Amino acid sequence: MMKTIKIKALIFDMDGVLWSDQTPIVDLDWVFKQLNQYQISYAFATNNSTKTPFEYCKKLNHFNVKVNEDHIFTSGTTLVKMLKEKYPTGGPVHILGENGLREPLTNSGFYQSDQNILAVVGGLDRQITYEKLKNATLQLQNNVDFYYTNADSTFPTPEGKIPGAGSILAALVTASGKKAILAGKPEPMMFEHTISLLNTTPESTLIIGDRIDTDILGGIRANCKTALVLSGISSESDLMKFSYKPDLVHKNLVELVNFLISKNWGFAQ
Ligand SMILES: [Mg+2]
C-alpha cells in the first residue's frame, strides 16, 4: 500500500521562483496567505549572495510577505558559517563579492586584506574588473584556502540570463588551476541549516526551485521532496538532460500551491 507523507514546510529559492529581479512572477500575496491558512511553515534559501538576509527581508516585506530575517539563508551566510567553523576567531581574507557576502564576513570577524590571508572568498560581484580577477588570482598562487558561494553560471533577469557567480569563479579556476570549496546549492548544507531552523524533517519538507542542477539536486542530496517551477532558468526540455528528476514540475508557484492544496499537502511515497 502507498504511504502518504504530509508536507509541513516549504523552502523557497527566490530568483526565478518568487520574482525576476524587481518583478514578482506570481501573486505572492495569495501564495503566502494560503501557506498561513494551511499552517505550512516556510523559509528561503538562495544562491544569490549579493544581498544580506536583512535586505531580502525588506524585499519580501515590500511584496507583502512577512518573514523574519533568520528565515533567510544565502550562499553568502552559508559560506561564512563554513569559514567560521574552520577559523572561529575570523582573520584576514581576500574578498571578491558584494554586500551580501562582505557584511556577514565582517560580522564574523573576517576582514579584507592582501597580507597573510587565510583564504580567498568570493561570490557574485557585479562590479567585477580585470584588476579584481588579477588580484584574486595572485592571492590564489599562495597556499591559501579558496571558498566560493556557488557555481551557477547564470541568473535570471527580465533581460534574460546574465552571468552568475559561476562565470567569475570559472575565470579564477582557469587562471589559478585551483578548485574552490562551494557553499551554496547543490551542496546540501544550506538546506540542512534551513531544515534545522524550521524544526522539520527532510521528508516532510518540499524544496521549490527553478534550477535543476542546483535547487533540485541540492534538495535530493538533503533527502527532501523537490518541486521544479518553470518560471526561471530550467525549461521542461532540460529535464531530459539530467539523471535525477524533481518529484513535481509545475508552470509556476501558484499552479504548484494549487496542486498541493488539491492533494491536501499529502505526498504519496
Ligand atoms: Mg533561482
Side-chain angles (χ1 to χ4, degrees):
M1 218 179 86
M2 286 239 279
K3 199 171 107 188
T4 303
I5 285 195
K6 282 233 178 186
I7 293 298
K8 296 201 177 80
L10 305 180
I11 301 176
F12 291 97
D13 174 52
M14 296 192 269
D15 294 305
V17 176
L18 305 183
W19 51 61
S20 173
D21 197 17
Q22 301 302 318
T23 314
I25 291 169
V26 291
D27 184 349
L28 297 177
D29 200 39
W30 180 87
V31 168
F32 288 91
K33 267 190 189 134
Q34 302 308 310
L35 304 190
N36 293 333
Q37 189 182 328
Y38 288 94
Q39 293 183 307
I40 303 294
S41 57
Y42 52 85
F44 302 87
T46 178
N47 267 2
N48 188 332
S49 69
T50 60
K51 289 190 175 68
T52 63
F54 178 73
E55 289 165 327
Y56 279 117
C57 207
K58 279 205 310 204
K59 188 169 178 179
L60 285 159
N61 288 344
H62 174 74
F63 294 126
N64 258 333
V65 182
K66 305 258 179 309
V67 60
N68 204 313
E69 214 183 308
D70 70 350
H71 279 55
I72 299 168
F73 295 77
T74 75
S75 61
T77 60
T78 308
L79 185 156
V80 174
K81 255 186 204 175
M82 291 166 73
L83 203 61
K84 185 116 182 134
E85 271 168 31
K86 184 156 182 193
Y87 304 105
T89 56
V93 290
H94 181 90
I95 311 166
L96 194 68
E98 299 191 29
N99 194 39
L101 177 61
R102 287 175 188 273
E103 200 178 294
L105 279 168
T106 305
N107 292 342
S108 287
F110 295 97
Y111 54 91
Q112 165 68 42
S113 176
D114 284 330
Q115 300 292 321
N116 303 317
I117 60 165
L118 305 168
V120 170
V121 293
L124 180 59
D125 184 335
R126 289 168 298 175
Q127 281 79 48
I128 191 71
T129 59
Y130 184 82
E131 192 70 12
K132 287 186 179 182
L133 290 172
K134 182 185 104 178
N135 291 338
T137 301
L138 291 172
Q139 289 294 337
L140 283 170
Q141 285 160 27
N142 303 318
N143 185 26
V144 298
D145 285 336
F146 184 21
Y147 286 83
Y148 227 81
T149 54
N150 63 305
D152 298 35
S153 52
T154 54
F155 82 85
T157 71
E159 290 174 280
K161 296 173 192 175
I162 63 172
S167 294
I168 301 173
L169 172 63
L172 296 178
V173 169
T174 303
S176 70
K178 280 203 177 172
K179 266 184 101 174
I181 298 168
L182 298 175
K185 305 172 257 187
E187 303 305 320
M189 217 111 44
M190 187 160 38
F191 289 143
E192 287 162 5
H193 294 158
T194 315
I195 289 164
S196 124
L197 175 96
L198 289 172
N199 204 11
T200 175
T201 59
E203 58 272 19
S204 59
T205 302
L206 181 68
I207 305 294
I208 303 171
D210 66 310
R211 192 167 189 129
I212 301 169
D213 59 353
T214 55
D215 301 316
I216 303 306
L217 181 57
I220 291 169
R221 286 182 178 166
N223 298 312
C224 296
K225 298 280 175 285
T226 58
L228 178 73
V229 288
L230 302 170
S231 52
I233 291 280
S234 296
S235 65
E236 199 156 21
S237 58
D238 288 333
L239 282 164
M240 295 180 318
K241 298 179 193 157
F242 299 91
S243 57
Y244 46 88
K245 299 267 175 280
D247 296 293
L248 302 172
V249 181
H250 285 278
K251 196 174 81 194
N252 60 40
L253 189 53
V254 163
E255 203 186 275
L256 171 66
V257 170
N258 269 322
F259 172 80
L260 291 167
I261 291 171
S262 77
K263 297 286 173 193
N264 199 22
W265 303 88
F267 224 106
Q269 285 298 89

